Amino acid sequence: MSAFARALRTGEGEALRFLPAPPQDEAAWAERLAKTAQSAPAVPAALVERLVARQQVLCAGECAVANARALGEGALAVVTGQQPGLLGGPLLTFHKAAGAIALARKLDGLGGRRVVPIFWLASEDHDLDEANRAVLGDRRGQARRLRLPIEPDGRSLMDLPLDPALVAELAAEVRGMLPDTERGRAAADAAVPAAGGDFATWCLRALLQVFGDSGLVVVEPPVLAPEVGATYAWLLDHAEPIQAAIAASGSELAAAGLPAPLAPAAGSTALFFRADEGGPRLRVGLHGEDGVTLRGQPAAMDRAALRARLLAEPMRGSGNVAGRVFVQNFHLPVLAYIAGPTEIAYQAQLRAAHEAVGRFFPLALPRPEGTWVDAKTAAILAAFGTQPADVLAGAVDAPGGEDEELETGLRTIADRLAALEQAAAGLLARGGRGPDALQRALERTR
């Protein structure tokens, strides 16, 4: 468990200096709901209608449509989100959605207030390499890696059309991996929906098929387009204090021995810009008094011209990891955000950034965590007289503890991991996107 997750769940730890613990009883939650209702933005009628229409197009269910309407009637929201992912995304995406649904159900009606779950689909993300991969357990219990044979070109995932023939090939591969049983066939049908539209929407349909009519309201960046241009312009106007607060809070977190994933480079902003409509996203930077860079290269427009373009053509803009959170909190009545381990660390930095520019910041809470165990593994453990929960709790000794060759091998692995982490320390301190990718690689290696 991450330091933030542990502190927020137990109510103890250094991390609580940076993120407040959640309320512990109904009275405290009711007070938090009332405070949020006073500070969170109202959802305008036009946005409500666009949200309702989008839920209907996605076949998200009657409860999702009703919850979208409730947002225009003063409902608060428990929000989570993720970029699109093959087969609906990794299990962590499903855990986050389940966490938002569960907390919203727990709080709905408390103090007479509606609370609904929202899933923010980051469809403007352009990291196809990360989105276009999945690991699936096959009928023999072996991990199998899947991807579509498409290559990234810098465009957002919502701008990538899908070839139905490639989807059909993936569906056949999944059916061949899973057991040829009623449940296996149902899982394959849910995991690989029929092709139609863009990559992001296609991935989302797999997620929605699992949760059914749970009331989960999907919000995607394009639905905010008529209003979000002013928010992008605001982010450009406040780029310097936002980035300074993120950097300063990162230093405080590091001094406290806590992770600080965001390390903004000098002159960076929380924005991307598309020079061509539907084209690649270009990272926006600032230099000098009014200069603008796009992906590190001087742009043919100054800061004022970029601001005007964002206001006039909001679909050309988009937020980065920090900008997305600001956009979300500007336009939705967010009571709490359900975050993964890395997310919740940068939520601490973004809380400081919100406070630096006088914006309300909602609660950040850890997503549910779980270990999935297949029937074969459970049966093997039972044959040894133990249960998965005992193993996970450390109540069962690993076999071979006195095997000298095994112990030597484990020490070698531990030493190699330590060397990797030491070698990466300098790179992690650098700015830009590299440290985030490196941190993910280290976590996978561990």
Side-chain angles (χ1 to χ4, degrees):
M1 207 184 303
S2 72
F4 277 100
R6 185 179 297 108
L8 291 167
R9 286 182 174 133
T10 63
E12 299 177 352
E14 187 73 3
L16 297 182
R17 282 178 45 205
F18 302 94
L19 285 177
Q24 297 301 305
D25 54 41
E26 285 194 356
W29 268 115
E31 184 179 343
R32 183 73 193 193
L33 265 65
K35 179 181 178 181
T36 302
Q38 293 173 354
S39 305
V43 183
L47 176 55
V48 170
E49 290 310 311
R50 292 197 300 275
L51 285 170
V52 166
R54 187 58 177 158
Q55 309 316 301
Q56 292 169 334
V57 167
L58 293 170
C59 300
E62 293 182 7
C63 290
V65 170
N67 283 346
R69 291 197 186 281
L71 289 169
E73 299 164 358
L76 300 177
V78 177
V79 181
T80 193
Q82 191 74 15
Q83 62 266 58
L86 200 65
L87 310 189
L91 275 173
L92 65 90
T93 302
F94 292 82
H95 288 178
K96 290 166 76 174
I101 293 167
L103 182 57
R105 286 178 176 173
K106 173 183 176 180
L107 300 177
D108 192 24
L110 189 62
R113 298 184 186 278
R114 288 295 321 276
V115 180
V116 303
I118 287 179
F119 187 88
W120 180 287
L121 183 71
S123 54
E124 58 194 2
D125 192 287
H126 59 271
D127 192 346
L128 181 63
D129 285 336
E130 184 173 12
N132 184 29
R133 63 186 183 195
V135 179
L136 189 65
D138 67 14
R139 66 182 69 188
R140 296 178 302 162
Q142 300 300 308
R144 297 274 295 276
R145 298 183 181 277
L146 298 167
R147 70 181 300 274
L148 287 171
I150 53 179
E151 298 302 323
D153 59 8
R155 285 185 293 171
S156 293
L157 301 176
M158 64 184 182
D159 294 322
L160 293 178
L162 271 183
D163 183 345
L166 298 182
V167 174
E169 291 175 10
L170 180 69
E173 186 176 1
V174 171
R175 290 191 182 94
M177 291 167 54
L178 297 179
D180 188 19
T181 62
E182 182 179 353
R183 290 174 66 186
R185 290 189 292 272
D189 290 342
V192 190
D198 58 89
F199 180 90
T201 301
W202 175 71
C203 293
L204 173 65
R205 291 186 189 279
L207 183 76
L208 292 177
Q209 286 189 83
V210 169
F211 285 103
D213 193 8
S214 59
L216 188 65
V217 178
V218 176
V219 176
E220 300 161 274
V223 80
L224 301 174
E227 294 92 6
V228 79
T231 307
Y232 292 151
W234 185 94
L235 284 170
L236 184 63
D237 293 342
H238 294 80
E240 288 88 352
I242 288 173
Q243 302 302 79
I246 291 173
S249 61
S251 298
E252 291 179 22
L253 286 163
L258 294 167
L262 302 182
S268 60
T269 74
L271 292 167
F272 287 99
F273 182 77
R274 297 178 181 88
D276 302 310
E277 189 172 347
R281 293 202 304 166
L282 308 175
R283 190 178 298 277
V284 176
L286 302 173
H287 70 90
E289 267 192 46
D290 298 307
V292 171
T293 61
L294 296 177
R295 197 176 283 173
Q297 300 302 312
M301 56 183 168
D302 62 13
R303 190 163 177 166
L306 174 59
R307 189 181 194 281
R309 291 288 297 277
L310 291 169
L311 285 168
E313 302 174 83
M315 283 300 292
R316 290 189 182 272
S318 62
N320 69 359
V321 67
R324 178 194 63 76
V325 176
F326 272 98
V327 170
Q328 166 192 292
N329 294 339
F330 257 79
H331 295 276
L332 299 174
V334 186
L335 169 68
Y337 185 85
I338 306 297
T342 301
E343 264 187 316
I344 207 161
Y346 71 62
Q347 290 279 328
Q349 293 182 263
L350 294 181
R351 176 176 182 242
H354 277 66
E355 291 176 347
V357 291
R359 302 296 304 189
F360 174 77
F361 193 76
L363 291 171
L365 304 177
R367 65 166 166 82
E369 299 181 24
T371 299
W372 290 64
V373 182
D374 63 283
K376 181 178 179 181
T377 300
I380 291 171
L381 292 174
F384 280 91
T386 188
Q387 300 294 325
D390 296 329
V391 176
L392 293 170
V396 178
D397 291 331
E402 298 179 0
D403 187 321
E404 185 175 343
E405 184 178 356
L406 175 63
E407 290 298 312
T408 301
L410 290 174
R411 283 196 299 273
T412 301
I413 292 171
D415 291 344
R416 181 60 177 151
L417 280 172
L420 282 173
E421 291 171 1
Q422 184 176 0
L427 294 171
L428 288 172
R430 294 183 182 180
R433 298 177 59 195
D436 288 343
L438 183 58
Q439 188 64 48
R440 290 195 299 269
L442 283 172
E443 289 169 0
R444 288 195 295 270
T445 304
R446 291 189 198 102

